[in-house]
Structure formats: C-alpha cells, structure tokens
Amino acid sequence: MQRLRNKRVVLGVTGGIAAYKSAELIRHLTKLGAEVQVVMTSAACEFITPLTLQALSHNPVHLDLLDTKAEAAMGHIELARWADLVLVAPATADFMARLAGGLANDLLTTLCLATSAPLCLAPAMNQGMWRDSKTQQNCQELLERNIRLFGPSDGSQACGDIGPGRMLEPELIVEQAADVFESDILTGINLMITAGPTREEIDPVRYISNYSSGKMGYALAEAAVEAGATVTLVSGPVTIPAPDRVSVIDVTSAREMHQAVHGNMNGQDIFIGCAAVSDYRPEEILREKIKKDPDNASETLDIRLVRNPDIIASVSALEQPPFVVGFAAETQNVLNYAADKLNRKQLDLIVANDVSDREIGFSSDNNEVAILGKDLEETLPRASKKVLARKLLKIIGRSYHTWKTEQESA
Ligand code: C5P
C-alpha cells in the first residue's frame, strides 16, 4: 500500500451515521503516508465534530465555501488543485444527487466539480434509499463521468434494516483508493538529484558559472515525486521555484554541493547528477574586489584555477553506491563523449544532450536526449523538459529495478 505515500487526499465527509467511520479512515490514510485535508458538509458536523477530524488529519477542517478567512488560507480552487485524490466517505444519497445534478451549492460539491483529481465516493445510506431508482440513476450518471464508487456493502444497518447501503469498511476504502494510483515505479525509493549550475567565487563581486537553468533537474524532481519517490534536490543557484514535496538543499559552489550530497547520501537508492558543476574554481578567493591597476599596462589578468571534486564520480566510487545516473551536456560527438563518461565515471546510465542547439540547450524549456547504459541505448525525441523527465524516470526506474535484482542475486 506504498501507493498512498506522499499522496494528497481531500476527504469529503457528508451527513450520514457512517461519518463516525471517517475518523478511522483518516487514521488509515495518514498511517500509509497520505496527507489528508478534510472537507465537511454542515450535515456531517451533526454526526462528528470538525475538531476530531482536525486532530486526526493534523490539518484545519474546511467547512464553508464563503468563509473569507478559510478561503484566504486555502481557497476551494487551491484545494481542488492540491488534491491527488478526492474521496467522499460517507457519500449520502443527497450528496450523490447534488453531484449528479452538477450542483455547486456548498464547498464539497464545488470542489468536486473543480478538481481534475480522480473522484471516488463511498456511498452510505439506508437500503431503501440505495435501491431507489433515482439513486440508481444518479449512480449511473456519476459512473459515466468517471467517478468511482467504492461499495456500498450489504448487511445490517444503523436503522435496523438489512440490505445494501452500508459504507464499505475503512480498510477496504483505503485499499480501493490505493488502486486508483498506478503501481508507481519509484514508490518507496529515495532519490537524490543535483541540479542547476554552481558558482565559484573569484572575489566578493565576481564568480565563474555557466548557463544551466536547473529546469531539467527540477522537472526530474517533480516527475520523481509523481512516480512515488522521496526526493532530495541539491540545487545550485537558480531562479525557478522548487517543486512541491521535494526536500531542497540550496548550495552555491561545487564543494558545497559535494558536501551536501555526501552528507545526505545515507539511504539513497538512486542518484541523478543533473547539475552543471563547474569543473574548476579559483585557487584563491580574494577578500577584496580585484581592481584594474592604473600603473600596470597589462591587458591580461591571470586567475589560477584548480579542479573541483567530481561529485558523481565520488558517488559511484562509494563502497555501496546507489544506482547512479549522469548527464552529459555536449556540443559535439555527443554519443561518443557520453559513452566515454559512462565508463570513466562508472555510471549505470547517462543521459546525453547537445547543448550547442539553442532550441534544446541549457535555458530552453525543451530538450531532446539519448539515454545510454550497459545494455541500453534509447533516443527520446524533442519534447518539453517536463514530458521528457517523466519518460526518463520510467526508463531509470525500470533499469534501477533490474540492477537491484541483479545486486540481490549476486
Ligand atoms: O564531465 P562532465 O562535467 O561533462 O560530466 C557530466 C556529469 O558529471 C553530470 O552528471 C554532472 O552532474 C556530473 N559532474 C559532477 N561533478 C563535477 C562535474 C560533473 O557531478 N565536478
């Protein structure tokens, strides 16, 4: 059930006696690593208190559509966008009718219309209400709109009746909720990415750096979270915002990046070196700004550079290295140079791209890459860095699992 880890679930609670089971449902969801935001209808508050659900979900409960204070904290559209899954449990006959009718007359129905996340309902009502032809017609309409129904189950009811309409037990709801997410290829995997450029200080106002924007590394971090990984992003100075749900460690120089990588390497399963690390740094960082010397007619200035540590090679050289993926940004002989780096740096995979092409270069939103490994050579045609990141991670995930199986059987 790792599939619910790090997933954002909006749990809608409507006004039925089964609302008391929502408390248990939240406990199951959070135990499995999901983050839960609860939205209650006013009828639901008659059955269970918002305070209980707030305490269990560790988040304020959302109640009103027109509450300016709550909207300022997290508006209904923001909540709709935030969700990876919207689950309504219990879903009463009234709520299902309003949803089927397309009404948006409270926070929960509005959110259900606005969200693009999968929407699932766990119906709970009296057997007669469930069997009613109008309820059944509503169910059909909801199913046609790709809204999933979990249950209901059959059995004795709070009102004394026996029949269909009982809310599915929370354990079973959670199982079905997990099934909504494809088996994520990187679920349970710890993955570290380096991204962006490094800056090597010359004096208090100058540095050596490169044109890396960090876009590819950040797109990979975002796609890795989507694929279920726990992601640490060690980032050089960039101007793009950090993706959600990623632990970012900001660094400036190559040596700081080296330190941050090794200081956080414990438990990492995959390491992706996407940063454009400066190969050299000034041997000495001057404490005062370098001045043009008016008495010196020299047209040149010498700055002696020394080699920076090769971060990715130092990761591959660890006694128990993670699965290591490098990037080769080249301007010529792209595949040859990449294959050479794969061997020299003892990488498991390398992603090669031609940075001489401005359309797919460092700052561009697009890229076109080839990915090489011991038994792999695949070209991924030009696409946005976000689309490419998802494709790359599928390949990286597959190769990682093969590598891991080989390691375990060796
Ligand atoms: O040798 P080159 O810089 O072309 O190699 C590129 C790959 O090596 C990238 O994965 C980059 O992140 C990594 N690298 C590194 N530390 C360096 C230089 C490069 O991790 N000092």
Side-chain angles (χ1 to χ4, degrees):
M1 212 94 82
Q2 287 272 359
R3 279 171 288 166
L4 285 170
R5 199 161 149 209
N6 290 333
K7 292 291 186 292
R8 293 165 162 180
V9 180
V10 167
L11 177 66
V13 183
T14 68
I17 182 63
Y20 78 92
K21 291 189 184 171
S22 308
E24 204 187 330
L25 186 53
I26 296 170
R27 288 202 54 235
H28 283 297
L29 289 167
T30 52
K31 228 163 119 187
L32 290 167
E35 197 185 336
V36 181
Q37 299 268 359
V38 178
V39 175
M40 294 175 79
T41 62
S42 51
C45 300
E46 303 289 330
F47 290 90
I48 188 162
T49 71
L51 196 60
T52 305
L53 302 192
Q54 175 163 315
L56 292 171
S57 67
H58 311 293
N59 278 315
V61 169
H62 306 265
L63 300 168
D64 292 317
L65 183 57
L66 302 174
D67 176 344
T68 43
K69 225 165 94 196
E71 279 287 295
M74 194 176 207
H76 62 284
I77 298 296
E78 215 177 327
L79 205 52
R81 286 200 193 116
W82 176 88
D84 294 318
L85 173 76
V86 177
L87 170 63
V88 183
T92 58
D94 171 70
F95 174 76
M96 290 172 68
R98 287 190 291 128
L99 194 61
L103 294 188
N105 55 354
D106 63 5
L107 177 58
L108 188 56
T109 43
T110 308
L111 188 144
C112 288
L113 286 190
T115 194
S116 56
L119 178 52
C120 311
L121 314 181
M125 64 198 74
N126 163 270
Q127 55 83 25
M129 292 168 78
W130 173 254
R131 287 194 171 110
D132 182 86
S133 63
K134 191 63 195 159
T135 304
Q136 287 305 308
Q137 193 186 329
N138 291 337
C139 284
Q140 276 319 307
E141 280 182 36
L142 294 170
L143 289 169
E144 278 160 24
R145 278 162 49 191
N146 283 330
I147 295 171
R148 293 163 227 230
L149 300 185
F150 300 166
S153 64
D154 220 302
S156 64
Q157 302 204 303
C159 54
D161 280 4
I162 296 177
R166 277 169 58 95
M167 186 169 93
L168 219 52
E169 289 309 316
E171 290 98 317
L172 298 178
I173 294 179
V174 164
E175 256 176 39
Q176 298 202 16
D179 287 345
V180 170
F181 299 102
E182 280 177 41
S183 73
D184 294 333
I185 193 146
L186 295 178
T187 292
I189 301 289
N190 294 316
L191 185 148
M192 181 186 275
I193 303 179
T194 64
T198 64
R199 275 184 195 166
E200 310 301 328
E201 228 181 315
I202 299 172
D203 68 14
V205 296
R206 301 181 179 92
Y207 56 80
I208 297 172
S209 191
N210 57 63
Y211 289 118
S212 171
S213 62
K215 282 178 188 165
M216 193 66 231
Y218 276 52
L220 281 166
E222 196 173 338
V225 170
E226 271 174 27
T230 301
V231 180
T232 306
L233 179 62
V234 182
S235 175
V238 296
T239 54
I240 50 177
D244 269 0
R245 289 177 273 178
V246 166
S247 315
V248 184
I249 305 173
D250 288 312
V251 296
T252 305
S253 68
R255 282 195 296 181
E256 277 173 32
M257 187 174 272
H258 183 264
Q259 224 176 21
V261 163
H262 285 284
N264 294 277
M265 184 49 67
N266 211 353
Q268 297 296 342
D269 301 297
I270 300 178
F271 176 80
I272 305 180
C274 194
V277 184
S278 302
D279 290 323
Y280 293 91
R281 67 177 184 277
E283 186 171 39
E284 192 187 356
I285 302 172
L286 297 168
R287 294 182 55 193
E288 305 297 339
K289 184 181 164 190
I290 304 173
K291 294 282 194 195
K292 286 190 289 290
D293 182 352
D295 302 330
N296 186 343
S298 173
E299 289 297 319
T300 60
L301 168 73
D302 292 329
I303 298 174
R304 193 176 155 82
L305 302 179
V306 291
R307 267 300 252 283
N308 265 330
D310 190 314
I311 299 167
I312 204 164
S314 69
V315 172
S316 306
L318 290 171
E319 206 172 307
Q320 284 191 314
F323 185 80
V324 183
V325 184
F327 269 71
E330 304 292 346
T331 53
Q332 55 177 331
N333 289 335
V334 177
L335 288 182
N336 288 344
Y337 281 132
D340 174 56
K341 265 174 212 169
L342 181 75
N343 291 328
R344 198 158 32 81
K345 301 194 185 208
Q346 294 286 297
L347 311 178
D348 296 295
L349 290 174
I350 193 153
V351 182
N353 68 321
D354 183 348
V355 286
S356 69
D357 183 342
R358 286 195 155 264
E359 293 290 302
I360 54 169
F362 268 148
S363 300
S364 153
D365 285 333
N366 296 320
N367 208 349
E368 179 183 313
V369 300
I371 180 160
L372 313 181
K374 199 162 43 105
D375 308 307
L376 177 100
E377 180 171 337
E378 211 167 305
T379 308
L380 302 181
R382 190 164 304 194
S384 76
K385 286 181 175 169
K386 290 197 173 194
V387 168
L388 267 187
R390 288 199 195 108
K391 290 188 177 168
L392 279 173
L393 275 174
K394 272 203 182 133
I395 300 174
I396 292 169
R398 271 206 309 268
S399 304
Y400 162 77
H401 288 296
T402 312
W403 172 85
K404 186 82 188 153
T405 315
E406 280 170 13
Q407 295 242 312
E408 282 165 359
S409 59

mmCIF file of all heavy atoms in Angstrom, residues 26-66:
data_model
loop_
_atom_site.group_PDB
_atom_site.id
_atom_site.type_symbol
_atom_site.label_atom_id
_atom_site.label_comp_id
_atom_site.label_asym_id
_atom_site.label_seq_id
_atom_site.Cartn_x
_atom_site.Cartn_y
_atom_site.Cartn_z
ATOM 1 N N ILE A 26 -9.321 8.376 8.230
ATOM 2 C CA ILE A 26 -8.197 9.336 8.245
ATOM 3 C C ILE A 26 -6.969 8.675 8.867
ATOM 4 O O ILE A 26 -5.848 8.839 8.384
ATOM 5 C CB ILE A 26 -8.570 10.609 9.037
ATOM 6 C CG1 ILE A 26 -9.713 11.329 8.344
ATOM 7 C CG2 ILE A 26 -7.377 11.543 9.180
ATOM 8 C CD1 ILE A 26 -10.318 12.465 9.151
ATOM 9 N N ARG A 27 -7.179 7.922 9.944
ATOM 10 C CA ARG A 27 -6.034 7.280 10.600
ATOM 11 C C ARG A 27 -5.354 6.311 9.646
ATOM 12 O O ARG A 27 -4.138 6.264 9.554
ATOM 13 C CB ARG A 27 -6.482 6.557 11.870
ATOM 14 C CG ARG A 27 -6.847 7.552 12.965
ATOM 15 C CD ARG A 27 -6.776 6.954 14.346
ATOM 16 N NE ARG A 27 -5.502 6.344 14.608
ATOM 17 C CZ ARG A 27 -5.343 5.071 14.993
ATOM 18 N NH1 ARG A 27 -6.385 4.297 15.153
ATOM 19 N NH2 ARG A 27 -4.156 4.583 15.220
ATOM 20 N N HIS A 28 -6.138 5.534 8.895
ATOM 21 C CA HIS A 28 -5.537 4.595 7.928
ATOM 22 C C HIS A 28 -4.758 5.364 6.862
ATOM 23 O O HIS A 28 -3.652 4.989 6.513
ATOM 24 C CB HIS A 28 -6.622 3.765 7.231
ATOM 25 C CG HIS A 28 -7.166 2.673 8.090
ATOM 26 N ND1 HIS A 28 -6.404 1.637 8.543
ATOM 27 C CD2 HIS A 28 -8.407 2.465 8.578
ATOM 28 C CE1 HIS A 28 -7.152 0.826 9.274
ATOM 29 N NE2 HIS A 28 -8.377 1.314 9.313
ATOM 30 N N LEU A 29 -5.378 6.421 6.343
ATOM 31 C CA LEU A 29 -4.731 7.175 5.249
ATOM 32 C C LEU A 29 -3.417 7.796 5.710
ATOM 33 O O LEU A 29 -2.397 7.701 5.029
ATOM 34 C CB LEU A 29 -5.671 8.280 4.734
ATOM 35 C CG LEU A 29 -6.896 7.809 3.940
ATOM 36 C CD1 LEU A 29 -7.894 8.955 3.781
ATOM 37 C CD2 LEU A 29 -6.485 7.285 2.565
ATOM 38 N N THR A 30 -3.435 8.412 6.884
ATOM 39 C CA THR A 30 -2.208 9.088 7.351
ATOM 40 C C THR A 30 -1.141 8.058 7.722
ATOM 41 O O THR A 30 0.037 8.285 7.496
ATOM 42 C CB THR A 30 -2.482 10.031 8.547
ATOM 43 O OG1 THR A 30 -3.187 9.302 9.531
ATOM 44 C CG2 THR A 30 -3.283 11.236 8.146
ATOM 45 N N LYS A 31 -1.581 6.930 8.265
ATOM 46 C CA LYS A 31 -0.615 5.874 8.612
ATOM 47 C C LYS A 31 0.127 5.395 7.367
ATOM 48 O O LYS A 31 1.294 5.022 7.409
ATOM 49 C CB LYS A 31 -1.359 4.699 9.248
ATOM 50 C CG LYS A 31 -0.701 4.229 10.529
ATOM 51 C CD LYS A 31 -1.629 3.389 11.312
ATOM 52 C CE LYS A 31 -1.059 1.999 11.483
ATOM 53 N NZ LYS A 31 -2.006 1.099 12.101
ATOM 54 N N LEU A 32 -0.584 5.425 6.243
ATOM 55 C CA LEU A 32 0.045 4.971 4.987
ATOM 56 C C LEU A 32 0.822 6.092 4.305
ATOM 57 O O LEU A 32 1.280 5.947 3.178
ATOM 58 C CB LEU A 32 -1.030 4.424 4.050
ATOM 59 C CG LEU A 32 -1.625 3.107 4.541
ATOM 60 C CD1 LEU A 32 -2.883 2.758 3.763
ATOM 61 C CD2 LEU A 32 -0.611 1.978 4.438
ATOM 62 N N GLY A 33 0.936 7.240 4.961
ATOM 63 C CA GLY A 33 1.797 8.311 4.440
ATOM 64 C C GLY A 33 1.076 9.343 3.600
ATOM 65 O O GLY A 33 1.711 10.227 3.034
ATOM 66 N N ALA A 34 -0.273 9.242 3.514
ATOM 67 C CA ALA A 34 -1.017 10.254 2.738
ATOM 68 C C ALA A 34 -1.189 11.512 3.582
ATOM 69 O O ALA A 34 -1.220 11.440 4.813
ATOM 70 C CB ALA A 34 -2.383 9.704 2.346
ATOM 71 N N GLU A 35 -1.273 12.651 2.898
ATOM 72 C CA GLU A 35 -1.604 13.888 3.603
ATOM 73 C C GLU A 35 -3.095 14.122 3.387
ATOM 74 O O GLU A 35 -3.573 14.017 2.250
ATOM 75 C CB GLU A 35 -0.786 15.057 3.050
ATOM 76 C CG GLU A 35 -0.801 16.228 3.999
ATOM 77 C CD GLU A 35 -0.103 17.452 3.444
ATOM 78 O OE1 GLU A 35 0.751 17.298 2.569
ATOM 79 O OE2 GLU A 35 -0.450 18.545 3.882
ATOM 80 N N VAL A 36 -3.810 14.426 4.456
ATOM 81 C CA VAL A 36 -5.276 14.498 4.346
ATOM 82 C C VAL A 36 -5.789 15.889 4.719
ATOM 83 O O VAL A 36 -5.414 16.443 5.748
ATOM 84 C CB VAL A 36 -5.946 13.433 5.255
ATOM 85 C CG1 VAL A 36 -7.458 13.478 5.122
ATOM 86 C CG2 VAL A 36 -5.425 12.037 4.933
ATOM 87 N N GLN A 37 -6.616 16.444 3.861
ATOM 88 C CA GLN A 37 -7.359 17.670 4.165
ATOM 89 C C GLN A 37 -8.827 17.268 4.178
ATOM 90 O O GLN A 37 -9.305 16.653 3.220
ATOM 91 C CB GLN A 37 -7.174 18.735 3.071
ATOM 92 C CG GLN A 37 -5.764 19.199 2.864
ATOM 93 C CD GLN A 37 -5.418 20.431 3.701
ATOM 94 O OE1 GLN A 37 -6.257 20.958 4.442
ATOM 95 N NE2 GLN A 37 -4.186 20.867 3.582
ATOM 96 N N VAL A 38 -9.526 17.610 5.250
ATOM 97 C CA VAL A 38 -10.920 17.194 5.376
ATOM 98 C C VAL A 38 -11.851 18.348 5.010
ATOM 99 O O VAL A 38 -11.645 19.482 5.424
ATOM 100 C CB VAL A 38 -11.220 16.727 6.824
ATOM 101 C CG1 VAL A 38 -12.685 16.340 6.980
ATOM 102 C CG2 VAL A 38 -10.304 15.578 7.205
ATOM 103 N N VAL A 39 -12.870 18.022 4.212
ATOM 104 C CA VAL A 39 -13.935 18.971 3.901
ATOM 105 C C VAL A 39 -15.237 18.359 4.418
ATOM 106 O O VAL A 39 -15.555 17.224 4.070
ATOM 107 C CB VAL A 39 -14.036 19.218 2.379
ATOM 108 C CG1 VAL A 39 -15.223 20.120 2.061
ATOM 109 C CG2 VAL A 39 -12.749 19.819 1.843
ATOM 110 N N MET A 40 -15.950 19.085 5.269
ATOM 111 C CA MET A 40 -17.198 18.541 5.825
ATOM 112 C C MET A 40 -18.390 19.367 5.361
ATOM 113 O O MET A 40 -18.289 20.602 5.261
ATOM 114 C CB MET A 40 -17.156 18.585 7.359
ATOM 115 C CG MET A 40 -16.102 17.674 7.952
ATOM 116 S SD MET A 40 -15.995 17.865 9.764
ATOM 117 C CE MET A 40 -17.405 16.902 10.302
ATOM 118 N N THR A 41 -19.511 18.683 5.110
ATOM 119 C CA THR A 41 -20.743 19.439 4.858
ATOM 120 C C THR A 41 -21.325 19.819 6.225
ATOM 121 O O THR A 41 -20.929 19.240 7.254
ATOM 122 C CB THR A 41 -21.775 18.583 4.086
ATOM 123 O OG1 THR A 41 -22.111 17.457 4.902
ATOM 124 C CG2 THR A 41 -21.232 18.116 2.752
ATOM 125 N N SER A 42 -22.298 20.750 6.223
ATOM 126 C CA SER A 42 -22.834 21.160 7.526
ATOM 127 C C SER A 42 -23.562 19.993 8.183
ATOM 128 O O SER A 42 -23.506 19.823 9.406
ATOM 129 C CB SER A 42 -23.727 22.378 7.371
ATOM 130 O OG SER A 42 -24.666 22.131 6.364
ATOM 131 N N ALA A 43 -24.199 19.113 7.373
ATOM 132 C CA ALA A 43 -24.888 17.961 7.964
ATOM 133 C C ALA A 43 -23.896 16.996 8.616
ATOM 134 O O ALA A 43 -24.188 16.384 9.646
ATOM 135 C CB ALA A 43 -25.704 17.242 6.892
ATOM 136 N N ALA A 44 -22.701 16.892 8.025
ATOM 137 C CA ALA A 44 -21.690 15.978 8.580
ATOM 138 C C ALA A 44 -21.320 16.406 9.998
ATOM 139 O O ALA A 44 -21.069 15.559 10.870
ATOM 140 C CB ALA A 44 -20.452 15.951 7.693
ATOM 141 N N CYS A 45 -21.318 17.741 10.233
ATOM 142 C CA CYS A 45 -20.924 18.266 11.556
ATOM 143 C C CYS A 45 -21.927 17.880 12.639
ATOM 144 O O CYS A 45 -21.637 17.988 13.823
ATOM 145 C CB CYS A 45 -20.773 19.781 11.510
ATOM 146 S SG CYS A 45 -19.545 20.318 10.336
ATOM 147 N N GLU A 46 -23.139 17.427 12.218
ATOM 148 C CA GLU A 46 -24.128 16.957 13.200
ATOM 149 C C GLU A 46 -23.774 15.558 13.695
ATOM 150 O O GLU A 46 -24.258 15.111 14.717
ATOM 151 C CB GLU A 46 -25.540 16.908 12.560
ATOM 152 C CG GLU A 46 -26.031 18.218 11.966
ATOM 153 C CD GLU A 46 -26.370 19.245 13.039
ATOM 154 O OE1 GLU A 46 -26.782 18.828 14.139
ATOM 155 O OE2 GLU A 46 -26.184 20.459 12.785
ATOM 156 N N PHE A 47 -22.957 14.849 12.920
ATOM 157 C CA PHE A 47 -22.637 13.463 13.267
ATOM 158 C C PHE A 47 -21.262 13.307 13.925
ATOM 159 O O PHE A 47 -21.053 12.411 14.728
ATOM 160 C CB PHE A 47 -22.683 12.574 12.013
ATOM 161 C CG PHE A 47 -24.071 12.368 11.498
ATOM 162 C CD1 PHE A 47 -24.618 13.241 10.563
ATOM 163 C CD2 PHE A 47 -24.846 11.310 11.960
ATOM 164 C CE1 PHE A 47 -25.904 13.058 10.100
ATOM 165 C CE2 PHE A 47 -26.141 11.123 11.501
ATOM 166 C CZ PHE A 47 -26.680 12.007 10.563
ATOM 167 N N ILE A 48 -20.324 14.161 13.535
ATOM 168 C CA ILE A 48 -18.975 14.074 14.098
ATOM 169 C C ILE A 48 -18.390 15.492 14.117
ATOM 170 O O ILE A 48 -18.706 16.286 13.218
ATOM 171 C CB ILE A 48 -18.080 13.078 13.304
ATOM 172 C CG1 ILE A 48 -16.748 12.857 14.016
ATOM 173 C CG2 ILE A 48 -17.872 13.499 11.859
ATOM 174 C CD1 ILE A 48 -16.016 11.602 13.552
ATOM 175 N N THR A 49 -17.569 15.781 15.105
ATOM 176 C CA THR A 49 -17.123 17.184 15.208
ATOM 177 C C THR A 49 -15.906 17.436 14.313
ATOM 178 O O THR A 49 -15.036 16.569 14.165
ATOM 179 C CB THR A 49 -16.736 17.573 16.648
ATOM 180 O OG1 THR A 49 -15.527 16.905 16.965
ATOM 181 C CG2 THR A 49 -17.812 17.225 17.635
ATOM 182 N N PRO A 50 -15.845 18.649 13.746
ATOM 183 C CA PRO A 50 -14.666 19.025 12.954
ATOM 184 C C PRO A 50 -13.381 18.901 13.775
ATOM 185 O O PRO A 50 -12.344 18.528 13.259
ATOM 186 C CB PRO A 50 -14.937 20.490 12.587
ATOM 187 C CG PRO A 50 -16.423 20.622 12.661
ATOM 188 C CD PRO A 50 -16.883 19.682 13.718
ATOM 189 N N LEU A 51 -13.506 19.155 15.084
ATOM 190 C CA LEU A 51 -12.321 19.115 15.951
ATOM 191 C C LEU A 51 -11.680 17.725 15.939
ATOM 192 O O LEU A 51 -10.450 17.587 15.887
ATOM 193 C CB LEU A 51 -12.744 19.499 17.378
ATOM 194 C CG LEU A 51 -11.614 19.881 18.311
ATOM 195 C CD1 LEU A 51 -10.864 21.090 17.773
ATOM 196 C CD2 LEU A 51 -12.178 20.181 19.701
ATOM 197 N N THR A 52 -12.523 16.690 15.967
ATOM 198 C CA THR A 52 -11.998 15.317 15.953
ATOM 199 C C THR A 52 -11.223 15.076 14.657
ATOM 200 O O THR A 52 -10.108 14.564 14.665
ATOM 201 C CB THR A 52 -13.180 14.301 16.027
ATOM 202 O OG1 THR A 52 -13.947 14.627 17.157
ATOM 203 C CG2 THR A 52 -12.706 12.880 16.080
ATOM 204 N N LEU A 53 -11.836 15.477 13.542
ATOM 205 C CA LEU A 53 -11.206 15.190 12.246
ATOM 206 C C LEU A 53 -9.976 16.069 12.037
ATOM 207 O O LEU A 53 -9.011 15.670 11.392
ATOM 208 C CB LEU A 53 -12.216 15.351 11.107
ATOM 209 C CG LEU A 53 -13.464 14.462 11.246
ATOM 210 C CD1 LEU A 53 -14.261 14.468 9.950
ATOM 211 C CD2 LEU A 53 -13.122 13.019 11.610
ATOM 212 N N GLN A 54 -10.012 17.261 12.620
ATOM 213 C CA GLN A 54 -8.848 18.145 12.545
ATOM 214 C C GLN A 54 -7.671 17.533 13.309
ATOM 215 O O GLN A 54 -6.537 17.512 12.827
ATOM 216 C CB GLN A 54 -9.218 19.499 13.151
ATOM 217 C CG GLN A 54 -8.048 20.453 13.231
ATOM 218 C CD GLN A 54 -8.536 21.879 13.434
ATOM 219 O OE1 GLN A 54 -9.480 22.301 12.764
ATOM 220 N NE2 GLN A 54 -7.920 22.588 14.328
ATOM 221 N N ALA A 55 -7.970 17.015 14.496
ATOM 222 C CA ALA A 55 -6.899 16.432 15.313
ATOM 223 C C ALA A 55 -6.287 15.230 14.597
ATOM 224 O O ALA A 55 -5.071 15.033 14.613
ATOM 225 C CB ALA A 55 -7.453 16.026 16.669
ATOM 226 N N LEU A 56 -7.124 14.430 13.952
ATOM 227 C CA LEU A 56 -6.609 13.218 13.308
ATOM 228 C C LEU A 56 -5.882 13.511 12.003
ATOM 229 O O LEU A 56 -4.922 12.831 11.649
ATOM 230 C CB LEU A 56 -7.763 12.239 13.038
ATOM 231 C CG LEU A 56 -8.384 11.627 14.296
ATOM 232 C CD1 LEU A 56 -9.646 10.865 13.941
ATOM 233 C CD2 LEU A 56 -7.382 10.705 14.982
ATOM 234 N N SER A 57 -6.353 14.527 11.285
ATOM 235 C CA SER A 57 -5.731 14.812 9.979
ATOM 236 C C SER A 57 -4.555 15.771 10.112
ATOM 237 O O SER A 57 -3.789 15.956 9.179
ATOM 238 C CB SER A 57 -6.764 15.418 9.019
ATOM 239 O OG SER A 57 -7.157 16.697 9.477
ATOM 240 N N HIS A 58 -4.414 16.383 11.282
ATOM 241 C CA HIS A 58 -3.349 17.381 11.535
ATOM 242 C C HIS A 58 -3.472 18.584 10.607
ATOM 243 O O HIS A 58 -2.476 19.243 10.311
ATOM 244 C CB HIS A 58 -1.936 16.773 11.407
ATOM 245 C CG HIS A 58 -1.764 15.507 12.162
ATOM 246 N ND1 HIS A 58 -1.802 15.469 13.533
ATOM 247 C CD2 HIS A 58 -1.575 14.232 11.749
ATOM 248 C CE1 HIS A 58 -1.649 14.210 13.916
ATOM 249 N NE2 HIS A 58 -1.513 13.439 12.860
ATOM 250 N N ASN A 59 -4.661 18.824 10.113
ATOM 251 C CA ASN A 59 -4.899 19.997 9.258
ATOM 252 C C ASN A 59 -6.235 20.612 9.630
ATOM 253 O O ASN A 59 -7.144 19.892 10.047
ATOM 254 C CB ASN A 59 -4.979 19.573 7.779
ATOM 255 C CG ASN A 59 -3.608 19.415 7.159
ATOM 256 O OD1 ASN A 59 -2.734 20.264 7.358
ATOM 257 N ND2 ASN A 59 -3.400 18.347 6.426
ATOM 258 N N PRO A 60 -6.394 21.939 9.468
ATOM 259 C CA PRO A 60 -7.697 22.541 9.749
ATOM 260 C C PRO A 60 -8.763 21.947 8.832
ATOM 261 O O PRO A 60 -8.471 21.633 7.674
ATOM 262 C CB PRO A 60 -7.489 24.029 9.422
ATOM 263 C CG PRO A 60 -6.072 24.204 9.055
ATOM 264 C CD PRO A 60 -5.397 22.883 8.979
ATOM 265 N N VAL A 61 -9.956 21.767 9.362
ATOM 266 C CA VAL A 61 -11.048 21.202 8.556
ATOM 267 C C VAL A 61 -11.722 22.330 7.777
ATOM 268 O O VAL A 61 -11.905 23.431 8.295
ATOM 269 C CB VAL A 61 -12.046 20.470 9.479
ATOM 270 C CG1 VAL A 61 -13.319 20.107 8.744
ATOM 271 C CG2 VAL A 61 -11.392 19.215 10.048
ATOM 272 N N HIS A 62 -12.044 22.056 6.522
ATOM 273 C CA HIS A 62 -12.677 23.065 5.663
ATOM 274 C C HIS A 62 -14.190 22.863 5.694
ATOM 275 O O HIS A 62 -14.667 21.762 5.442
ATOM 276 C CB HIS A 62 -12.160 22.924 4.227
ATOM 277 C CG HIS A 62 -10.656 22.961 4.162
ATOM 278 N ND1 HIS A 62 -9.945 24.102 3.912
ATOM 279 C CD2 HIS A 62 -9.736 21.979 4.354
ATOM 280 C CE1 HIS A 62 -8.654 23.835 3.935
ATOM 281 N NE2 HIS A 62 -8.491 22.547 4.197
ATOM 282 N N LEU A 63 -14.920 23.958 5.993
ATOM 283 C CA LEU A 63 -16.358 23.818 6.200
ATOM 284 C C LEU A 63 -17.199 24.651 5.245
ATOM 285 O O LEU A 63 -18.212 24.187 4.748
ATOM 286 C CB LEU A 63 -16.711 24.225 7.641
ATOM 287 C CG LEU A 63 -16.037 23.400 8.748
ATOM 288 C CD1 LEU A 63 -16.217 24.069 10.096
ATOM 289 C CD2 LEU A 63 -16.606 21.996 8.777
ATOM 290 N N ASP A 64 -16.762 25.905 5.016
ATOM 291 C CA ASP A 64 -17.628 26.829 4.292
ATOM 292 C C ASP A 64 -17.019 27.290 2.992
ATOM 293 O O ASP A 64 -15.821 27.539 2.916
ATOM 294 C CB ASP A 64 -17.884 28.085 5.150
ATOM 295 C CG ASP A 64 -18.714 27.731 6.352
ATOM 296 O OD1 ASP A 64 -19.678 26.977 6.176
ATOM 297 O OD2 ASP A 64 -18.354 28.195 7.458
ATOM 298 N N LEU A 65 -17.891 27.463 2.027
ATOM 299 C CA LEU A 65 -17.445 27.990 0.735
ATOM 300 C C LEU A 65 -17.196 29.487 0.832
ATOM 301 O O LEU A 65 -16.293 30.024 0.209
ATOM 302 C CB LEU A 65 -18.525 27.701 -0.311
ATOM 303 C CG LEU A 65 -18.253 28.105 -1.747
ATOM 304 C CD1 LEU A 65 -16.979 27.459 -2.270
ATOM 305 C CD2 LEU A 65 -19.424 27.720 -2.637
ATOM 306 N N LEU A 66 -18.011 30.137 1.654
ATOM 307 C CA LEU A 66 -17.964 31.601 1.656
ATOM 308 C C LEU A 66 -17.287 32.179 2.895
ATOM 309 O O LEU A 66 -17.542 33.304 3.277
ATOM 310 C CB LEU A 66 -19.387 32.156 1.498
ATOM 311 C CG LEU A 66 -20.085 31.665 0.219
ATOM 312 C CD1 LEU A 66 -21.532 32.114 0.171
ATOM 313 C CD2 LEU A 66 -19.353 32.130 -1.029
#
